[in-house]
């Protein structure tokens, strides 16, 4: 409720729905294979706001196909009503809460992973998708790296980051090359679900990373409890923003295809039960299985909390975190 005030968030979703229905020329959409494993086989899942979602018949990832082209998406993220609303109204109201609840813990987490795996090699950190520079501000406070570089394709947001003192490269990750930076660690928070091609996205980041460099990314997974229960009625599945909602298995396949080695993969989400409970209260048209209703309405709060821990421990939360490593060139040979 602090990072996504209900009224503001509903206004944002309403604008996203309007954008999905009116902004795009759907006759120009292009078919894509599974963004995770590359399979051409899929089964229809549902249509939401005119965007068709399918399920990979191999790795069970959920993704939008056909989808807007790269050019369509670039144009949308410059001019879309929901995008503009996020920058003007939503960000202004929630900035401090998001710094405290999201970006500060993320900065501490990045510091901890650097200490655990980099063994004194934490020279340059690359933030992929710097946005308004909130994460940069928090990362400066933990003093984990000698150099902080942001990747931000929006000219307006790139300038916001520069005004805060962050060295910023004004490109999409897919267009990065080895001369742009050489990072010992990189992070991308809640970006990969938005991009046209997650494989090209990860390969672009790889080009600006040193050998044995770490990349941490967080996103949504369709393997998670609240997405599985709410399905097409989930507020986390909304076009044109969330195009790739890959399965846990799908992310493993994607990481391997991108040339990275998996270090850790977890689903540390804390809100699955809460999200489903809120959705049931807010929507009259939503029915859930009796067992799930039993958990949601259980008088003992420890049961709900214990079920959320169960989801975390068994990779069944919808919030996924991957820590991956760029291998030495001799291990690639």
């Amino acid at each position: 409720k602090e990072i996504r005030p209900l009224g503001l968030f509903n206004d944002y979703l309403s604008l996203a729905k309007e954008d999905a229905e009116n902004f795009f020329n759907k006759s120009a959409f292009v078919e894509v294979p599974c963004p995770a494993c590359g399979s051409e086989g899929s089964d229809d899942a549902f249509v939401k706001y005119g965007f068709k979602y399918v399920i990979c018949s191999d790795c069970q990832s959920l993704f939008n196909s056909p989808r807007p082209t790269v050019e369509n998406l670039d144009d949308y993220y410059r001019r879309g009503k929901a995008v503009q609303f996020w920058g003007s109204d939503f960000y202004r109201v929630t900035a401090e809460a998001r710094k405290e609840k999201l970006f500060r813990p993320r900065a501490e987490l990045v510091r901890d992973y650097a200490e655990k795996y980099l063994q004194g090699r934490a020279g340059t950190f690359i933030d992929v998708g710097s946005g308004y520079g909130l994460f940069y501000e928090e990362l400066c406070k933990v003093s984990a790296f000698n150099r902080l570089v942001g990747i931000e394709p929006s000219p307006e947001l790139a300038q916001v980051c520069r005004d805060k003192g962050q060295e910023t490269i004004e490109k999409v990750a897919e267009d990065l090359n080895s001369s742009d930076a050489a990072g010992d660690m990189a992070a991308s928070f809640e970006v990969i679900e938005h991009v046209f091609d997650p494989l090209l996205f990860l390969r672009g980041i790889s080009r600006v990373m040193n050998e044995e460099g770490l990349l941490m990314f967080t996103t949504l997974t369709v393997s998670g409890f609240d997405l599985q229960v709410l399905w097409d009625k989930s507020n986390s599945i909304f076009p044109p923003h969330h195009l790739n909602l890959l399965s846990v298995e799908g992310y493993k396949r994607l990481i391997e295809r991108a040339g990275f080695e998996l270090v850790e993969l977890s689903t540390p989400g804390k809100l699955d039960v809460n999200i489903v409970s809120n959705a049931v209260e807010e929507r009259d048209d939503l029915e859930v299985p009796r067992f799930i209703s039993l958990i949601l309405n259980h008088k003992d709060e420890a049961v709900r909390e214990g079920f959320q821990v169960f989801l975390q421990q068994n990779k069944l939360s919808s919030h996924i975190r991957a820590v991956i490593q760029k291998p030495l060139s001799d291990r690639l040979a």
Side-chain angles (χ1 to χ4, degrees):
K1 291 179 180 179
E2 293 176 77
I3 63 174
R4 287 186 174 181
L6 185 60
L8 272 180
F9 191 56
N10 284 341
D11 289 343
Y12 170 70
L13 291 176
S14 178
L15 289 172
K17 178 182 178 182
E18 183 180 340
D19 285 340
E21 293 173 340
N22 301 321
F23 189 91
F24 298 91
N25 175 11
K26 295 182 175 61
S27 64
F29 281 16
V30 293
E31 299 277 354
V32 297
C34 175
C37 68
S39 172
E40 299 282 351
S42 65
D43 299 304
D44 292 351
F46 51 81
V47 175
K48 192 166 186 178
Y49 311 152
F51 279 62
K52 180 182 177 183
Y53 285 82
V54 298
I55 303 173
C56 175
S57 52
D58 190 355
C59 71
Q60 300 301 298
S61 291
L62 179 73
F63 61 98
N64 162 236
S65 181
R67 64 178 52 186
T69 64
V70 173
E71 294 75 18
N72 291 158
L73 290 171
D74 288 346
D75 184 38
Y76 174 67
Y77 280 107
R78 286 194 301 269
R79 300 192 298 116
K81 289 183 178 180
V83 178
Q84 294 176 352
F85 177 81
W86 186 278
S88 59
D89 297 64
F90 201 99
Y91 163 76
R92 176 176 51 81
V93 172
T94 63
E96 289 305 315
R98 295 174 75 81
K99 283 175 69 173
E100 177 187 352
K101 304 292 184 181
L102 292 178
F103 294 104
R104 190 166 303 155
R106 286 174 179 173
E108 294 169 352
L109 189 65
V110 163
R111 176 200 60 201
D112 293 345
Y113 274 113
E115 292 175 352
K116 183 177 181 180
Y117 289 111
L118 291 180
Q119 301 172 345
R121 293 185 292 109
T124 298
F125 177 84
I126 300 174
D127 177 22
V128 184
S130 297
Y132 292 89
L134 297 181
F135 182 59
Y136 167 76
E137 293 178 324
E138 296 305 314
L139 199 56
C140 286
K141 297 175 184 177
V142 301
S143 302
F145 299 89
N146 299 324
R147 180 188 179 200
L148 303 178
V149 179
I151 308 297
E152 177 50 58
S154 164
E156 294 81 8
L157 294 181
Q159 189 57 50
V160 170
C161 293
R162 293 189 186 105
D163 290 343
K164 293 182 177 182
Q166 183 175 20
E167 179 184 347
T168 306
I169 298 170
E170 202 172 302
K171 286 185 177 182
V172 295
E174 293 86 337
D175 291 342
L176 293 171
N177 56 66
S178 58
S179 63
D180 287 320
D184 300 294
M185 186 172 182
S188 169
F189 300 107
E190 322 306 322
V191 176
I192 199 169
E193 66 268 29
H194 299 263
V195 304
F196 179 82
D197 189 332
L199 180 61
L200 295 182
F201 177 77
L202 289 184
R203 285 177 173 170
I205 298 173
S206 176
R207 288 193 291 271
V208 292
M209 295 183 65
N210 293 324
E211 292 185 348
E212 296 193 300
L214 286 182
L215 167 62
M216 179 172 70
F217 69 85
T218 62
T219 183
L220 296 163
T221 173
V222 74
S223 302
F225 176 74
D226 64 275
L227 267 66
Q228 285 289 320
V229 173
L230 300 177
W231 205 230
D232 60 311
K233 296 180 177 62
S234 169
N235 286 337
S236 293
I237 303 175
F238 64 95
H241 295 265
H242 291 175
L243 306 178
N244 313 298
L245 298 127
L246 311 184
S247 66
V248 169
E249 176 62 25
Y251 280 113
K252 292 178 180 179
R253 303 266 195 99
L254 174 64
I255 290 163
E256 182 178 359
R257 291 173 69 214
F260 284 93
E261 296 176 349
L262 182 61
V263 178
E264 291 185 18
L265 189 144
S266 59
T267 62
K270 300 179 180 180
L271 298 177
D272 298 70
V273 176
N274 180 261
I275 288 170
V276 175
S277 179
N278 288 343
V280 170
E281 290 181 10
E282 294 165 8
R283 300 190 60 142
D284 295 331
D285 62 338
L286 185 60
E287 295 184 7
V288 298
R290 290 175 59 87
F291 177 70
I292 293 175
S293 293
L294 174 67
I295 295 171
L296 299 180
N297 299 313
H298 207 287
K299 294 181 179 179
D300 187 351
E301 180 65 25
V303 172
R304 290 162 55 107
E305 294 175 356
F307 187 70
Q308 185 66 50
V309 171
F310 168 82
L311 298 176
Q312 294 171 338
Q313 293 176 340
N314 291 278
K315 295 184 175 60
L316 292 171
S317 166
S318 65
H319 174 68
I320 190 169
R321 180 169 69 222
V323 180
I324 60 182
Q325 187 172 37
K326 184 176 178 178
L328 287 167
S329 55
D330 60 359
R331 291 212 299 271
L332 289 174

